[in-house]
């Protein structure tokens, strides 16, 4: 094995992750046309509604029973980074905030001391298929920040840098930097907001036969590539014909090259937090007693209650892409603008 490659592993559901990351899942569902309720205009017979994780006809309902997605559920002690590559996500939470985002937008939410939210996948097109593709990534919080106030930031697609450091290579910089191009700021209490944490989240697309050398990162940083699309990839002179995860030495030279087809990868990188991790479903703390306290707090307070009429709220079909934050501040997705594609 190349000196740059530490280990290879299979891509399951979810994908394996490493400190400071807790979880990563790649959802890709080829939904049919939508109905009047923004759900699939197709029979739901034979599906285990409420827990539909088996791909049938190319798609899943997940925990939804009318609209696909994840009705209200709590989080404490970490962050979710939701990269909406195709399709749309309707967000609603216990603080009264709400949003619709998609088509390249990213929502970065610090759960902190506790929040309840719903993530539904409205099928807006009544006359054509509604493909939905996203990554959801969980980034841990250190003990000092696990009980901060909840917060979310919208990284609208036009604000996310696109870097083309070599012919046929395109990188979207969700976190961190490639050369002089830096991602939008993460939430203020994120592990990624610390410069020495070296957090990077990049999506990488290589055209057939294209290649690029990953820039080195400081010693002690964890760096993982997820090769999830395409047929044929070489990393540090090792041929990887099958999709897999690749843990890398961040300081060793590592050139990535596509074979005869386009290839896509996700890069997750960060300095480990290095603290105990105790997880119980959607709660991630440092000690079992803190998990027990999280459960009691949620049962007692509902992390702020639930101001919405149902567990799975969605917005009107024509709502557009927007966010209303706790406190009422509203923003809308900025218009697309010509990409500034710079060398890395």
């Amino acid at each position: 094995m190349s000196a740059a490659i530490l280990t290879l592993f299979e891509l399951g559901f979810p994908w394996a992750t490493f400190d400071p990351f807790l979880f990563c899942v790649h959802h890709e569902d080829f939904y049919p046309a939508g109905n009047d309720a923004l759900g699939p205009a197709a029979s739901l017979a034979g599906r285990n509604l409420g827990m539909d994780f088996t791909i049938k006809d190319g798609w899943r309902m997940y925990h939804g029973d009318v609209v696909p997605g994840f009705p209200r559920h709590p989080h404490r002690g970490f962050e979710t980074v939701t990269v909406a590559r195709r399709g749309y996500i309707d967000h609603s939470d216990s603080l009264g905030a709400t949003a619709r985002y998609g088509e390249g937008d990213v929502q970065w939410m610090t759960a902190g001391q506790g929040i309840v939210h719903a993530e539904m996948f409205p099928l807006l097109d009544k006359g054509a298929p509604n493909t939905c593709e996203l990554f959801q990534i969980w980034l841990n919080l250190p003990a000092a920040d696990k009980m901060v106030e909840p917060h979310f930031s919208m990284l609208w697609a036009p604000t996310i840098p696109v870097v083309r450091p070599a012919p046929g290579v395109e990188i979207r910089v969700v976190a961190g930097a490639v050369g002089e191009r830096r991602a939008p700021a993460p939430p203020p209490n994120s592990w990624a907001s610390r410069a020495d944490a070296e957090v990077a989240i990049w999506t990488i697309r290589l055209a057939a036969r294209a290649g690029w050398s990953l820039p080195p990162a400081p010693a002690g940083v964890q760096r993982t590539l997820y090769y999830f699309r395409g047929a044929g990839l070489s990393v540090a002179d090792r041929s990887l014909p099958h999709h897999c995860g690749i843990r890398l030495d961040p300081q060793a030279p590592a050139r990535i090259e596509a074979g005869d087809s386009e290839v896509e990868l996700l890069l997750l990188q960060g300095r480990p937090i290095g603290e105990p991790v105790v997880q119980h479903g959607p709660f991630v703390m440092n000690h079992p007693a803190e998990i027990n306290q999280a459960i009691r707090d949620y049962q007692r307070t509902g992390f702020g209650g639930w101001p919405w009429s149902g567990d799975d709220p969605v917005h009107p079909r024509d709502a557009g892409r927007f966010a209303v934050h706790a406190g009422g501040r509203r923003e809308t997705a900025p218009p697309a603008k010509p990409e500034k594609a710079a060398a890395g």
Side-chain angles (χ1 to χ4, degrees):
M1 187 175 294
S2 164
I5 298 177
L6 302 178
T7 57
L8 301 175
F9 56 93
E10 294 183 0
L11 296 183
F13 188 88
W15 296 344
T17 54
F18 307 93
D19 190 3
F21 297 96
L22 298 163
F23 173 94
C24 180
V25 67
H26 179 224
H27 294 288
E28 187 173 35
D29 291 276
F30 300 96
Y31 292 111
N35 59 25
D36 289 341
L38 306 186
S43 172
L44 300 181
R47 294 182 178 273
N48 182 24
L49 291 181
M51 189 66 74
D52 179 27
F53 282 79
T54 300
I55 296 177
K56 180 178 183 290
D57 302 325
W59 48 278
R60 297 156 285 199
M61 291 292 289
Y62 300 104
H63 295 308
D65 56 15
V66 175
V67 176
F70 297 84
R72 70 167 172 172
H73 57 281
H75 291 303
R76 171 179 277 187
F78 64 99
E79 299 185 282
T80 60
V81 183
T82 307
V83 182
R85 287 162 61 88
R86 291 182 288 173
Y88 298 91
I89 300 171
D90 279 2
H91 164 96
S92 303
D93 69 38
S94 54
L95 304 182
T98 187
R100 171 173 287 165
Y101 61 98
E103 299 299 319
D105 301 326
V106 175
Q107 187 198 62
W108 194 316
M109 187 182 78
T110 305
Q113 64 188 246
I115 193 169
V116 181
H117 73 156
E119 303 160 287
M120 308 307 298
F121 307 154
L123 308 184
L124 303 185
D125 196 328
K126 297 181 71 172
N130 290 270
T131 297
C132 183
E133 183 189 3
L134 64 100
F135 298 114
Q136 185 163 98
I137 301 157
W138 292 10
L139 177 62
N140 202 7
L141 288 167
D145 294 326
K146 283 193 176 292
M147 296 298 285
V148 297
E149 292 287 331
H151 176 91
F152 77 78
S153 296
M154 291 306 310
L155 283 54
W156 300 109
T159 72
I160 297 173
V162 177
V163 181
R164 296 189 177 93
V169 179
E170 180 180 284
I171 305 166
R172 296 189 79 235
V173 188
V174 174
V178 176
E180 299 300 317
R181 302 295 301 280
R182 179 163 292 279
N189 292 304
S190 174
W191 182 244
S193 70
R194 305 185 185 199
D196 61 350
E198 300 288 344
V199 171
I201 302 173
W202 306 340
T203 60
I204 304 170
R205 178 180 285 112
L206 304 177
R209 298 297 177 184
W212 179 59
S213 294
L214 292 170
V221 168
Q222 303 259 31
R223 172 178 277 180
T224 307
L225 276 175
Y226 299 87
Y227 163 37
F228 67 93
R229 180 167 291 147
L233 175 71
S234 171
V235 176
D237 296 322
R238 174 164 180 176
S239 178
L240 303 173
H242 304 294
H243 297 167
C244 63
I246 308 140
R247 296 190 71 189
L248 295 172
D249 178 342
Q251 295 191 295
R255 182 170 176 81
I256 55 176
E257 294 186 348
D260 292 332
S261 71
E262 181 179 275
V263 166
E264 289 194 77
L265 306 103
L266 172 71
L267 178 141
L268 298 182
Q269 172 189 289
R271 190 173 299 283
I273 293 172
E275 296 177 350
V277 173
V278 180
Q279 179 176 353
H280 180 77
F283 305 140
V284 182
M285 302 300 288
N286 299 103
H287 304 287
E290 294 169 327
I291 294 291
N292 294 335
Q293 186 63 53
I295 294 169
R296 289 194 296 270
D297 290 347
Y298 176 54
Q299 291 173 337
R300 179 173 53 86
T301 70
F303 293 162
W306 189 249
W308 312 102
S309 60
D311 291 343
D312 55 353
V314 292
H315 306 303
R317 190 183 305 276
D318 60 355
R321 289 157 50 226
F322 72 96
V324 177
H325 296 260
R329 180 174 68 87
R330 183 182 179 91
E331 59 179 314
T332 56
K337 58 185 178 181
E339 293 178 352
K340 293 182 179 180

